[in-house]
Amino acid sequence: MNLNYPAEAEAFRAEVRSFLAQHLPDGWTGIGALDRDDAEEFTIRWRRTLSDNGLLGLSWPKEYGGGGRTKLEQVVLAEELARACVPFGRLTDTTSVKMMGNTLVRWGTEEQKQHFIPRILSGDDIFVQGYSEPNAGSDLAALSLRADRDGDEWVLNGQKIWTSRAYEGNWIFVLARTNPDVAKHHGISFLLCPLETPGVEVRPIRMLTGESDFCEVFFTDARIPIGNVVGEVDGGWKVAMSLLGHERGEEAAINPILFRAELDRLLQLARDRGRDRDPVIRDRLAWCYTKVETLRFLGYRILTQYLRSGELGPEASISKLFWSEYHQRAVDLAMQILGAAGMVREGPRPLRYFRPDEPGAPNSTNSWIDVMLLNARAGTVYAGTSQVQRTIIGEQILGLPKEPVPS
Ligand SMILES: Cc1cc2nc3c(=O)[nH]c(=O)nc-3n(C[C@H](O)[C@H](O)[C@H](O)COP(=O)(O)OP(=O)(O)OC[C@H]3O[C@@H](n4cnc5c(N)ncnc54)[C@H](O)[C@@H]3O)c2cc1C
């Protein structure tokens, strides 16, 4: 493992830094310092700035409107955006740009790439992720959304659940069963469905915090053109699995930066609340520091492999397991530092629902309560639960015997 980036990556880093210096407002301290409305407005403008300068879809081919740069440069950009405390796009860009865009670049037909990629970059098309179902989460291949062929159309019937921000999207990519007569992994197709299709209904789910970030999506005789399939008919499993890799790609680089920023905030919280001389709190803060450093080195390891092979191996599961379980203990410490004050909500609420609050956020109780109550709890569930990560690590890295499959 080489911990230094090559000279050309450092040259690109300098370019990004000068771009940020030119385009960020004076006195910028991070997106977390803005209130929700201002943050939303800033993010929309910022996304356009990134897109106009070829920085959204940086490693996608130029002929479709991408930046034509390397994966390493993409990682450098992600690091610099995280350091400058600016988002790479809107929350839906995790599913739209990172997941769907990258998947189309890899698996889409020429026509699909020509049509969708510029529209994803411009934000005209926003894709959300329709994988999970009430009876198919960890065991995703058990999904039962049906897509039956009728002439030139697929007819969709069934339900998806936990679809993040479905109310903000205009497209959903779904895994649907197109052949019920073969083994479960082999009869699945990866389909694209406009959310405005008659027969598609989005119902927001109310969460612990009282807000609604994810939804149920119902399909009742919803008809889409036969050509709205990515990859081969009945061959959607391969496409679906490669998409999950994109969820983890840049995380390896930016997680250590985000968690370090959160740890700095936690240290400040301990000082502000006069708890930084308490030996037990100090011991736990030191523990957090060692974990964030370990996360950094784990990140380098995963990145090295990703940049060499273009793929993320099972090692990415170590990082997912590590950060999500670390985070629950770190926010638990924040609540211990806050003590009784942690029962009183004050200050702005977090801008996002995943991982730490945005860098630059004030040390308000609302920030820690929401991160504690919801984000950190959900971290060991979304993108593969801790139990599933442990199985992957056991079977695919340690070579332990396979988990028995109940018949
Ligand atoms: C915040 C958030 C956002 C999400 N966004 C989306 C989205 O946009 N689109 C989407 O499609 N999905 C989304 N999901 C769903 C997510 O992918 C699933 O919740 C996840 O895959 C787990 O599935 P499940 O909830 O059905 O739990 P289950 O799979 O039913 O698991 C329940 C429990 O059983 C354990 N378990 C299951 N199988 C095994 C096994 N073989 N061995 C050991 N233990 C096992 C699990 O670890 C877990 O503890 C989101 C989830 C969250 C929390």
Side-chain angles (χ1 to χ4, degrees), residues 308-325:
R308 261 191 211 136
S309 66
E311 304 285 337
L312 284 167
E315 287 76 11
S317 288
I318 303 178
S319 176
K320 166 70 195 3
L321 180 66
F322 194 87
W323 73 251
S324 56
E325 299 206 339

Side-chain angles (χ1 to χ4, degrees), residues 95 99 128-140 160-165 173 207 213-214 247 353-354 374-375 377-389 391 403-404 406:
T95 48
M99 293 185 185
V128 297
Q129 182 190 21
Y131 273 24
S132 307
E133 296 183 7
N135 292 314
S138 301
D139 184 11
L140 186 58
K160 295 291 172 182
I161 195 168
W162 317 126
T163 316
S164 294
R165 306 224 142 207
F173 54 87
M207 305 185 303
D213 190 49
F214 41 38
E247 206 172 353
Y353 304 87
F354 301 101
L374 184 76
N375 304 9
R377 293 290 120 206
T380 49
V381 176
Y382 62 74
T385 68
S386 283
Q387 290 78 7
V388 167
Q389 306 306 329
T391 301
E403 183 189 20

Side-chain angles (χ1 to χ4, degrees), residues 32 67 72 82 105 127 129 131 181 190 193 221 321 324 335 352:
L72 178 58
V105 169
F127 280 87
Q129 182 190 21
Y131 273 24
D181 301 323
F190 190 107
C193 175
D221 290 332
L321 180 66
S324 56
M335 295 313 284
R352 67 163 147 186

Side-chain angles (χ1 to χ4, degrees), residues 8-20:
E8 58 277 17
E10 292 305 341
F12 179 66
R13 190 185 303 282
E15 255 179 67
V16 175
R17 285 188 178 164
S18 107
F19 167 84
L20 290 169

